[in-house]
Amino acid sequence: MERKNLNIGLFGFGCVGLGLYEVLEQTPSLNARIKRICVKSRDKQRPLPQEAFTFNASELLEDEEINTIVELIDDSDAAFAIVRQAMQKGKAVVTANKKMIAEHFEELIALQVEYGVPLLYEAACCASIPIIRNLEEYYDTDLLESVGGIVNGSTNYILTKTALENKSYPEALQEAQALGYAESNPALDVGGFDAKFKLLILIAHAFGLVVRPEQIFNLGIDNLGELELAYAREKGYKIKLIAHAERNADGRIAALVVPKFVREEEKLYSVDEVYNGIQTKSRLSDVQFFVGKGAGAYPTASAVISDISALSYGYKYEYKKLNKEDQLIPVEEIFLKVFLRHDLAYGFEFKRYFDDISESYVNQDSGYIIGTISLANLQEIRSREHAETSVVLFEVLKESLVEDGSW
Ligand SMILES: NC(=O)c1ccc[n+]([C@@H]2O[C@H](COP(=O)([O-])OP(=O)(O)OC[C@H]3O[C@@H](n4cnc5c(N)ncnc54)[C@H](OP(=O)(O)O)[C@@H]3O)[C@@H](O)[C@H]2O)c1
């Protein structure tokens, strides 16, 4: 098959943009060259001559010689404007921006149909792990039941460093930022939002369901405290931030992002540092496990390069599974076994939200409850303004999901 020549307009020359530039320079066989780079700040030192750069997006978007836009900026609103305009101009697009995709999924799918141009985003989900094309192509004929795991490299790095190396949370976050693992706005990582954006992309390609970010409940690692860390240590568990979606017998989907106690015998237990791990479970192949680096310049650039290569062979997502019938399971129907840490003042009140309680504990200023609670009640507790709480999941109860699921 003949390979198309790609003339690239690159937006962003930060961690991933620079990584991509370096790798492309060393891969002449791709028939892809960067014609011009658009960045934001005029006063930054750059490793390339000034002429390589512009600060004016139109210089790339209006250039008819540029047939491919690679969007690697850290501003999702500006990114959407760039991507939409590029597609309207008939240019193929590669992006790593999960926030932009999650917030504009339906519009982006419609733009691909209307203008007949491909939009690829393998790097937006778990960086180096080739999961999107796998879900899109391989599992089409398989009966997929669940998908999920550790999808955020920077929080996994922080959890590894705080739990295993006793580093402080700010110290570990700073390290993740210095290594280029963290988003410019770390609240997206540590609050579980970045994981939710990725889960949304996984759900679309796994189950053909496009949902809005506000439809999925997410908790992050930003509230984790000593009581739950000590509990995990005592039991030999690790706490990992998990994003997971599972389809039940009637085709409806449960989806959630939450810190979870992971036992030594689970595959995700040994996924540490900046690594991500995704598990799929399907009726035919049972459990499959994908592991790889989930952030950083070269791991992310490797997925961008793979998309560029796919474009040169004319690849596009077909969204064959898109199905308006599939729906999310309402939060009232999902039951979880959790560890809830609370301020001393709220212990008695919060117990009333639980269906059953297997253990509770209080000290001078805080306490915890372990028990079964509906996701609706958990959301209500979390929305209480002055109550400091933290939640770690043990499991999602199987009655609310497929039998023998893989939560
Ligand atoms: N870092 C990772 O490990 C990783 C992994 C997966 C996905 N991603 C995604 O990849 C994208 C880039 O991340 P990054 O870590 O490379 O970010 P970064 O290091 O902060 O770099 C951002 C780049 O975007 C440029 N920029 C910002 N707003 C712009 C605008 N309006 N027009 C043109 N350029 C603009 C900045 O210009 P200046 O140089 O002038 O400041 C900078 O070069 C994000 O969507 C991120 O979510 C990153």
Side-chain angles (χ1 to χ4, degrees), residues 13-16 40-41 44 46 73-74 96 98 180 183 295-296 300:
F13 204 63
C15 173
V16 186
K40 192 175 173 189
S41 328
K44 254 191 198 171
R46 318 251 177 211
I73 74 172
D74 59 340
K98 48 265 169 170
E183 290 296 316
T300 312

Side-chain angles (χ1 to χ4, degrees), residues 10-18 37-44 46 54-55 57 71-76 78-79 82 95-100 123-127 179-184 188 194 198 274 294-297 299-301:
L10 173 63
F11 282 87
F13 204 63
C15 173
V16 186
L18 177 58
I37 304 166
C38 180
V39 284
K40 192 175 173 189
S41 328
R42 289 174 189 273
D43 45 9
K44 254 191 198 171
R46 318 251 177 211
T54 174
F55 306 98
E71 181 283 301
L72 299 172
I73 74 172
D74 59 340
D75 171 340
S76 63
I82 290 163
T95 176
N97 203 317
K98 48 265 169 170
K99 184 168 189 279
M100 187 267 300
C125 196
C126 302
L179 289 164
Y181 299 158
E183 290 296 316
S184 311
L188 292 179
D194 180 84
K198 291 167 179 165
V274 74
T300 312

Side-chain angles (χ1 to χ4, degrees), residues 90-394:
K91 299 183 195 301
V93 177
V94 175
T95 176
N97 203 317
K98 48 265 169 170
K99 184 168 189 279
M100 187 267 300
I101 298 165
E103 285 172 344
H104 300 280
F105 221 146
E106 292 216 344
E107 294 143 284
L108 290 169
I109 293 172
L111 282 165
Q112 289 171 71
V113 175
E114 186 177 354
Y115 294 95
V117 282
L119 168 71
L120 302 184
Y121 39 80
E122 191 65 71
C125 196
C126 302
S128 72
I129 303 178
I131 189 66
I132 298 176
R133 251 181 280 159
N134 256 315
L135 292 173
E136 179 75 11
E137 306 297 332
Y138 179 83
Y139 290 100
D140 196 26
T141 51
D142 211 350
L143 300 163
L144 201 57
E145 292 173 343
S146 69
V147 61
I150 297 168
V151 300
N152 181 280
S154 122
T155 47
N156 206 38
Y157 183 86
I158 293 168
L159 288 170
T160 305
K161 296 291 162 184
T162 48
L164 300 187
E165 295 178 23
N166 278 330
K167 293 206 163 141
S168 73
Y169 176 83
E171 200 184 350
L173 172 61
Q174 227 173 31
E175 272 183 28
Q177 285 171 318
L179 289 164
Y181 299 158
E183 290 296 316
S184 311
N185 172 5
L188 292 179
D189 288 319
V190 297
F193 295 94
D194 180 84
K196 173 161 80 172
F197 301 145
K198 291 167 179 165
L199 183 60
L200 220 131
I201 298 173
L202 291 174
I203 291 172
H205 290 275
F207 303 122
L209 179 67
V210 175
V211 293
R212 304 264 330 140
E214 55 275 16
Q215 289 178 270
I216 296 180
F217 184 60
N218 61 292
L219 291 171
I221 64 162
D222 41 354
N223 268 7
L224 290 180
E226 196 37 49
L227 269 186
E228 50 276 32
L229 290 169
Y231 184 90
R233 272 196 297 273
E234 186 191 310
K235 302 282 181 194
Y237 302 155
K238 285 181 184 170
I239 298 178
K240 300 284 188 190
L241 183 65
I242 305 289
H244 191 94
E246 189 146 334
R247 179 150 59 184
N248 76 359
D250 65 13
R252 294 180 309 155
I253 288 154
L256 185 62
V257 175
V258 63
K260 181 178 183 290
F261 293 119
V262 176
R263 295 173 170 78
E264 201 174 344
E265 59 273 21
E266 294 180 61
K267 291 188 169 51
L268 294 173
Y269 185 88
S270 51
V271 177
D272 284 329
E273 306 268 342
V274 74
Y275 281 85
N276 284 182
I278 298 253
Q279 278 185 110
T280 57
K281 183 167 189 299
S282 75
R283 218 170 291 166
L284 304 181
S285 50
D286 206 357
V287 175
Q288 288 164 299
F289 189 41
F290 302 79
V291 192
K293 284 193 172 167
Y298 296 127
T300 312
S302 80
V304 177
I305 288 278
S306 173
D307 278 350
I308 290 173
S309 169
L311 278 184
S312 75
Y313 289 117
Y315 180 79
K316 61 179 194 301
Y317 301 137
E318 289 180 28
Y319 301 97
K320 295 184 280 269
K321 300 180 205 168
L322 266 199
N323 176 5
K324 300 270 181 233
E325 297 305 307
D326 278 344
Q327 285 172 359
L328 288 178
I329 298 176
V331 288
E332 295 76 18
E333 291 179 32
I334 297 177
F335 290 87
L336 318 166
K337 182 179 174 191
V338 299
F339 176 113
L340 174 85
R341 176 174 50 81
H342 55 78
D343 293 336
L344 197 55
Y346 290 93
F348 184 68
E349 187 188 340
F350 285 168
K351 277 184 177 168
R352 289 187 294 128
Y353 286 91
F354 280 74
D355 282 13
D356 67 64
I357 291 173
S358 56
E359 191 179 329
S360 64
Y361 164 87
V362 283
N363 59 26
Q364 302 89 318
D365 48 24
S366 60
Y368 66 75
I369 303 166
I370 296 176
T372 304
I373 188 168
S374 72
L375 186 50
N377 280 357
L378 192 61
Q379 279 181 330
E380 206 172 310
I381 288 178
R382 289 290 296 188
S383 68
R384 294 287 295 273
E385 253 178 37
H386 302 292
E388 154 89 12
T389 55
S390 164
V391 176
V392 185
L393 178 75
F394 286 94

